[in-house]
Amino acid sequence: MAPPVTSAAKRLHHLDAARALLLLLGLPFHVATKAIFESEPAAIAFQTSPVIGAYASITHIFRMFAFFMLAGYFAGMIRERKGAHAWVRDRARRLGLPLLASLATLGLVQFQLQAMALHKPSPTFLGLPIALDHLWFLIVLLGFCLCYAAIPFARIAPGERIGRALLLSGTGGIWLMLALSVWGAVRIACEMLVPPIPNAPIETLLWQQFVFHAAAFVLGILAWHARVGEQVFALRNRAILPAIAVLLAIYIPLDPLIRPALGKEIYPDLAGTLILRTIELPLAYLMALALFRLLAATVVHASAAITFFVDGALAIYLFHLVWAMLILPHARALPLPPEVQWIAGTAAVLVLSIASYLIVRTSNLASVLFCGAPAKTASPANPVTTT
């Protein structure tokens, strides 16, 4: 039996919730990693905290995978609905303009703040005094969209076997897990065998991110073309949670984000790194499916709070690192445990980022540049890109 066709008209409210949640999960992650890896002196208390390490490790596994998978699914949906040319123009407006505006403003500010507030200079981007930081996701996503646009829509016709694999049904699910493992091995091969771009660490990391995250974007596209999106994003499968538990038991002791909190050296040996990379994508897919299923069971109607965060997701995310750099020195100076410093810093960053969005949306021009759409037409009915 062929998989049921996903209705383009039916709105899956829990996917709006997913976009908002993935946004919020990124803020405490970046507050922690800025303090640990991009501050001088480094926040050793953050790095050795089991609470902060566990949060950073676990959310890092699935957050960007789930984001790019959603982005691929919505790319298929909107491209089919609007047509290729209109869809490409829409992507240029909603992704390209915020990227250019952010590089020309926030990127310059973050480059200065990195040295002045965190005392650890940022690498340049394209030889310019710009901190790419979190803006990499817009470049990677634009690249994915251009690659997808180059493929004739009718040529992408996954059969029933692909649909069943995405649903982890039968041997197809096993083959999908193996394919994701192989793609993880491709990543480690790229990192170890392909020489870095000379004097360009950010540019080198950028193409590595493109290679690694392509898997999630492709799975999202296939879910749309195979007409199994409604099932994939609310999948019931009893094997998912036990599989996650087994893979997490292997992954966590090898992850550099939590190893110092476990009393280990930050990086595992070569064998550990190979194991880490080969199980990372299968684990990310399973955890993303578990998250989508949880949200499908709990979010059945539109919510004003979710609508607010989906509308403002891009602007909030674009602004949050500037505020994180300004807040972190003060949060770390508080006479409180590191976990409380982290939570307090994250809360302040969230509030200030929301305030930035509220200011931006008072002007149509600023809204176009930092939200991807004019304030008067911004609506979650048009999928908003977040990370």
Side-chain angles (χ1 to χ4, degrees):
M1 180 182 297
V5 174
T6 300
S7 170
K10 182 176 180 180
R11 184 158 189 83
L12 303 178
H13 293 289
H14 70 284
L15 297 189
D16 291 332
R19 291 200 294 274
L21 181 60
L22 292 171
L23 158 73
L24 296 175
L25 290 177
L27 271 63
F29 176 82
H30 285 140
V31 169
T33 54
K34 273 290 178 187
I36 295 170
F37 299 110
E38 299 178 52
S39 297
E40 187 63 45
I44 301 302
F46 279 38
Q47 190 173 33
T48 55
S49 165
V51 173
I52 298 175
Y55 178 89
S57 177
I58 291 173
T59 59
H60 189 59
I61 297 169
F62 69 87
R63 191 175 67 85
M64 291 308 300
F65 187 99
F67 161 70
F68 281 114
M69 187 174 169
L70 279 175
Y73 180 71
F74 285 120
M77 177 190 298
I78 304 303
R79 180 182 174 181
E80 182 170 335
R81 182 181 299 167
K82 293 187 174 183
H85 294 298
W87 173 71
V88 170
R89 289 194 299 269
D90 178 75
R91 294 299 85 192
R93 174 175 61 86
R94 296 182 69 85
L95 300 176
L97 287 179
L99 171 63
L100 294 175
S102 297
L103 288 174
T105 55
L106 300 175
L108 291 171
V109 172
Q110 288 165 202
F111 186 87
Q112 298 301 323
L113 286 176
Q114 188 65 52
M116 294 170 58
L118 302 186
H119 308 295
K120 190 169 184 178
S122 169
T124 60
F125 178 58
L126 300 178
L128 300 172
I130 293 173
L132 185 63
D133 282 332
H134 60 317
L135 303 178
W136 68 267
F137 89 96
L138 286 171
I139 298 176
V140 169
L141 186 53
L142 276 169
F144 290 159
C145 290
L146 290 175
C147 291
Y148 178 41
I151 304 172
F153 195 84
R155 296 285 296 273
I156 307 174
E160 182 179 350
R161 292 177 62 183
I162 297 295
R164 290 176 61 82
L166 292 170
L167 297 171
L168 302 180
S169 178
T171 57
I174 297 174
W175 283 109
L176 176 59
M177 294 293 101
L178 290 175
L180 289 173
S181 293
V182 170
W183 198 248
V186 169
R187 175 188 182 178
I188 192 65
C190 290
E191 293 174 351
M192 297 178 64
L193 302 178
V194 179
I197 302 172
N199 302 314
I202 296 301
E203 291 82 348
T204 298
L205 180 61
L206 192 59
W207 76 257
Q208 291 174 347
Q209 295 279 37
F210 183 90
V211 170
F212 183 64
H213 291 295
F217 190 79
V218 168
L219 290 181
I221 290 173
L222 292 176
W224 174 259
H225 283 267
R227 306 305 196 214
V228 294
E230 290 184 23
Q231 294 169 276
V232 167
F233 291 110
L235 185 61
R236 294 176 179 269
N237 189 314
R238 293 180 180 178
I240 289 177
L241 292 182
I244 288 174
V246 171
L247 291 178
L248 273 178
I250 301 170
Y251 182 93
I252 291 295
L254 299 173
D255 185 8
L257 289 171
I258 196 174
R259 282 174 63 86
L262 301 177
K264 300 176 182 290
E265 294 290 332
I266 184 168
Y267 295 110
D269 58 19
L270 178 59
T273 300
L274 291 172
I275 295 171
L276 182 76
R277 293 305 184 208
T278 54
I279 67 172
E280 186 171 10
L281 283 176
L283 178 57
Y285 185 61
L286 294 171
M287 293 184 73
L289 292 179
L291 172 67
F292 295 139
R293 175 58 198 158
L294 175 63
L295 293 174
T298 55
V299 180
V300 294
H301 301 293
S303 158
I306 292 172
T307 297
F308 174 83
F309 281 109
V310 171
D311 282 348
L314 185 57
I316 291 170
Y317 190 77
L318 292 177
F319 280 98
H320 86 277
L321 268 191
V322 167
W323 292 118
M325 292 180 183
L326 291 170
I327 292 296
L328 263 174
H330 303 286
R332 291 178 60 186
L334 294 173
L336 298 168
E339 295 82 5
V340 181
Q341 294 175 352
W342 172 58
I343 293 171
T346 298
V349 168
L350 175 60
V351 170
L352 291 168
S353 300
I354 291 174
S356 300
Y357 161 58
L358 293 175
I359 293 171
V360 161
R361 75 174 187 176
T362 62
S363 160
N364 272 345
L365 176 59
S367 186
V368 167
L369 293 178
F370 293 102
C371 302
K376 60 183 180 182
T377 60
S379 167
N382 294 318
V384 175
T385 54
T386 66
T387 102

